[in-house]
């Protein structure tokens, strides 16, 4: 068989895999296709839960690698792959996109683009957390702040849009979110004093449909919470994928810290809408409601954690909720239709707030702001949790969270804005010797901790729960492990040889359940 014939056969076979397009209806009903993993968090509600139950507490001890794919690039591998119709799509650390045959791990195509020599990635590692897919197109953001549309069958570029100026510190590390005809894209760069925003792009043409600034300009509600011109460099990055409620057509998205991080003198006020969750009308980007977790933050406690959408009885009434384990160490419940604060419960050690009052506003303890000499506060700037995903199991009614128990000395310094440079106003010294990690199971309705599985060091890996009543998570020491979802008892572990800094997924190969996760510089796929 000639090379050209082989190529044609390969393309034909690959095209056949994608015969069923990944339509918006499939994304909206992703829970009906547990054999796939079609969007970053598994579904629009961001449960990162799989209804597959073939791998269970009774047999997980027999789990073993099915295949391992070695990536070609160095750097932190934080990708959460997608699986659609026999193909796994993933990103490597620099943003290269790879399509693999999900049965074997064989590479089908690979796309990458050169990055500028003077690339700005201020305040975060050079990494990429994943993709979106819609129709026959795969979407990825890049470190130099472009949004790229790729043909899902060939990897060919369909369109390329410059989202923002990397020279000013804008970058993209988040996975886009695909909804009906639009691609939603957030940006990084809070430590460079960007003015954050969330964009929507036409999925077919790449034309921008709307932009919502997370820091309001003059004449807009919320601008009065900034002093002088501080709003121009106010931060509020949108650097992690949010959630979507199709019924209300609302995007639910977390926002980052204000800038400069640790010196708030130049930005008096609450600094809306930083450290908040915002609900935006998906058609227009108009603000429906917001809730701010940490007004006038001076500890770099972004609210870029995953907003988990659930329905539960709270205060005697069944409500549509946003549940978030926030970086500031409190677990929150917010009414999803109105933005009303309902409850906050500490889920990790914190020494900065006496309590959260009935309006949702923290009652601050004295002398916890950064100083020139240093102020000791829990949690550290990396937070009680961070970007890695929690998981909600509708079977146990528990939210599983990877928790970082660590304090820091926070230092304050002068901050002068220079375009494209750090704009932070201080620093921190973490108490690493006293730090540890844990997987905690929180009651979704109350936030109370039901069980805990301790880890040697604070984790950077997310959590997956399954209908097999298992919780999968990873460690900095390279262990990928499974816990009993009801008790936290360890049931299985595999040493990957590299730190686990990614979110697990579940899917099927030939009708058999498998678990996938990135670790070190490889993608591991496990099966029975």
């Amino acid at each position: 068989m000639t090379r050209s014939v082989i190529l044609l056969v390969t393309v034909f076979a690959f095209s056949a895999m994608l015969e069923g397009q990944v339509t918006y209806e499939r994304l909206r009903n992703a829970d009906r296709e547990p054999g796939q993993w079609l969007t970053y968090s598994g579904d629009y509600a961001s449960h990162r839960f799989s209804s597959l139950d073939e791998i269970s507490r009774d047999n997980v001890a027999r789990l073993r690698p099915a295949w391992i794919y070695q990536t070609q690039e160095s750097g932190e591998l934080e990708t959460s792959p997608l699986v659609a119709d026999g193909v796994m799509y993933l990103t490597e650390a620099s943003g290269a996109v790879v399509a693999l045959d999900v049965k074997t791990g064989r590479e089908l195509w690979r796309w990458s683009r050169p990055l500028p020599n003077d690339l700005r990635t201020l305040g975060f590692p050079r990494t990429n957390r994943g993709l979106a897919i819609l129709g026959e197109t795969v979407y990825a953001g890049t470190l130099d702040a472009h949004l790229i549309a790729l043909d899902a069958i060939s990897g060919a570029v369909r369109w390329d849009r410059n989202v923002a100026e990397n020279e000013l510190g804008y970058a993209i590390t988040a996975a886009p979110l695909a909804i009906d005809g639009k691609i939603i894209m957030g940006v990084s760069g809070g430590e460079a004093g960007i003015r954050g925003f969330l964009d929507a792009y036409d999925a077919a043409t790449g034309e921008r449909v709307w932009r919502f600034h997370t820091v309001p300009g003059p004449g807009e509600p919320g601008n009065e919470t900034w002093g002088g011109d501080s709003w121009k460099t106010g931060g509020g990055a949108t650097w992690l994928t949010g959630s979507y409620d199709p019924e209300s057509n609302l995007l639910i998205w977390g926002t980052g810290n204000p800038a400069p991080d640790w010196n708030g003198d130049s930005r008096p006020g609450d600094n809306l809408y930083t450290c908040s969750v915002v609900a935006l009308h998906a058609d227009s980007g108009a603000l429906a409601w917001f809730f701010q977790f940490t007004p006038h933050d001076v500890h770099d406690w972004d609210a870029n954690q995953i907003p988990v959408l659930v329905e539960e009885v709270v205060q005697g009434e069944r409500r549509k909720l946003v549940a978030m384990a926030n970086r500031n160490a409190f677990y929150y419940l917010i009414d999803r239709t109105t933005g009303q604060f309902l409850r906050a419960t500490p889920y990790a050690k914190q020494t900065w707030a006496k309590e959260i009052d009935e309006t949702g506003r923290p009652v601050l303890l004295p002398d916890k702001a950064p100083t020139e000499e240093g102020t000791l506060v829990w949690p550290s700037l990396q937070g009680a949790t961070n970007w890695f995903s929690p998981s909600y199991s509708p079977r146990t009614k528990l939210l599983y969270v990877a928790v970082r128990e660590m304090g820091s000395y926070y230092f304050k310094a002068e901050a002068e804005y220079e375009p494209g440079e750090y704009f932070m106003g201080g620093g921190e010294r973490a108490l690493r010797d006293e730090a540890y990690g844990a997987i905690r199971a929180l009651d979704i309705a109350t936030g109370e901790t039901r069980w805990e599985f301790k880890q040697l060091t604070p984790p950077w890996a997310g959590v997956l729960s399954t209908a097999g009543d298992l919780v999968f998570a990873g460690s900095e020491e390279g262990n990928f492990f499974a816990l009993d979802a009801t008790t936290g008892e360890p049931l299985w572990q595999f040493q990957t040889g590299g730190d686990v800094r990614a979110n697990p997924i579940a899917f099927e190969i030939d009708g058999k359940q498998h678990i996938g996760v990135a670790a070190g510089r490889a993608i591991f796929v496990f099966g029975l």
Side-chain angles (χ1 to χ4, degrees), residues 187-209:
V187 293
S188 302
E191 276 61 56
I194 64 160
R195 183 187 178 202
F197 59 80
L198 189 67
D199 277 356
Y201 293 86
D202 184 291
T205 67
E207 296 304 313
R208 197 173 81 197
V209 179

Side-chain angles (χ1 to χ4, degrees), residues 386-429:
N386 203 290
W387 65 267
F388 33 85
S389 293
S391 176
Y392 170 68
S393 169
R395 291 172 56 85
T396 62
K397 303 285 187 182
L398 295 175
L399 183 73
Y400 304 98
V401 183
V403 179
R404 299 176 59 84
E405 289 284 10
M406 186 164 69
S408 284
Y409 284 95
Y410 289 84
F411 297 92
K412 180 179 180 181
E414 295 298 319
E416 184 173 349
Y417 177 74
E418 295 183 29
E421 302 295 336
Y422 279 108
F423 185 51
M424 301 171 75
E428 70 132 17
R429 177 169 60 84

Side-chain angles (χ1 to χ4, degrees), residues 66-87:
W67 54 260
I68 301 170
Y69 173 78
Q70 295 286 345
T71 62
Q72 296 185 19
E73 298 177 344
S74 59
E76 291 192 9
L77 191 60
E78 298 183 354
T79 188
S80 182
L82 303 180
V83 175
D85 304 324
V87 181

Side-chain angles (χ1 to χ4, degrees), residues 198-371:
L198 189 67
D199 277 356
Y201 293 86
D202 184 291
T205 67
E207 296 304 313
R208 197 173 81 197
V209 179
W210 53 255
R211 170 168 291 181
F212 172 79
H213 279 287
T214 58
V215 179
E220 297 176 323
N223 181 260
E224 72 281 0
T225 66
W226 296 83
D229 288 336
S230 61
W231 62 273
K232 293 181 178 178
T233 55
T238 50
W239 55 270
L240 194 66
T241 310
S243 305
Y244 176 58
D245 181 347
E247 290 186 6
S248 63
N249 200 26
L250 289 179
L251 293 159
I252 312 292
W253 216 277
T255 68
N257 60 280
D261 300 43
W262 296 296
N263 186 339
D265 293 351
S266 64
R267 47 176 177 83
D270 283 356
N271 306 144
L272 294 174
Y273 301 101
T274 62
C275 295
S276 301
V277 59
V278 295
L280 307 179
H281 295 286
D283 289 339
S284 64
L287 180 67
W289 57 259
F290 74 93
F291 175 80
Q292 189 176 42
F293 301 96
T294 314
H296 191 74
D297 170 52
V298 288
H299 296 98
D300 192 5
W301 291 332
D302 304 75
N304 298 96
Q305 292 72 60
I306 297 290
V308 179
L309 311 186
V310 296
E311 291 189 29
E312 197 49 68
V313 176
V314 177
Q315 298 175 356
E317 181 181 346
R318 188 166 186 82
R319 295 172 180 263
K320 293 185 175 183
L321 302 167
V322 179
M324 180 183 284
N326 193 269
R327 188 160 159 170
N328 70 11
F330 284 89
Y331 168 79
Y332 291 84
L333 287 180
I334 310 295
D335 188 299
R336 194 161 80 234
T337 59
T338 64
Q340 178 190 357
F341 166 79
L342 298 173
R343 179 189 293 273
T345 306
Y347 68 93
K349 182 177 180 179
Q350 65 84 23
T351 63
W352 65 281
K354 177 183 178 184
E355 61 182 353
I356 306 297
D357 72 15
E358 66 276 7
T359 70
R361 194 175 184 87
V363 179
L364 300 180
L365 290 169
D367 304 323
K368 296 301 181 183
T371 61

Side-chain angles (χ1 to χ4, degrees), residues 40-91:
Y40 178 77
S41 292
D43 58 17
Y44 282 144
S46 298
H47 287 181
R48 198 167 285 275
F49 170 81
S50 171
S51 61
L52 298 175
D53 60 3
E54 180 188 5
I55 301 171
S56 68
R57 290 177 290 194
D58 295 332
N59 60 25
V60 68
R62 295 194 283 111
L63 207 60
R64 65 190 188 282
W67 54 260
I68 301 170
Y69 173 78
Q70 295 286 345
T71 62
Q72 296 185 19
E73 298 177 344
S74 59
E76 291 192 9
L77 191 60
E78 298 183 354
T79 188
S80 182
L82 303 180
V83 175
D85 304 324
V87 181
M88 175 181 284
Y89 301 93
L90 60 103
T91 53

Side-chain angles (χ1 to χ4, degrees), residues 130-146:
L131 303 153
I133 187 168
L134 183 64
E136 293 180 342
T137 305
V138 174
Y139 302 88
T142 68
L143 285 170
D144 58 345
H146 283 241

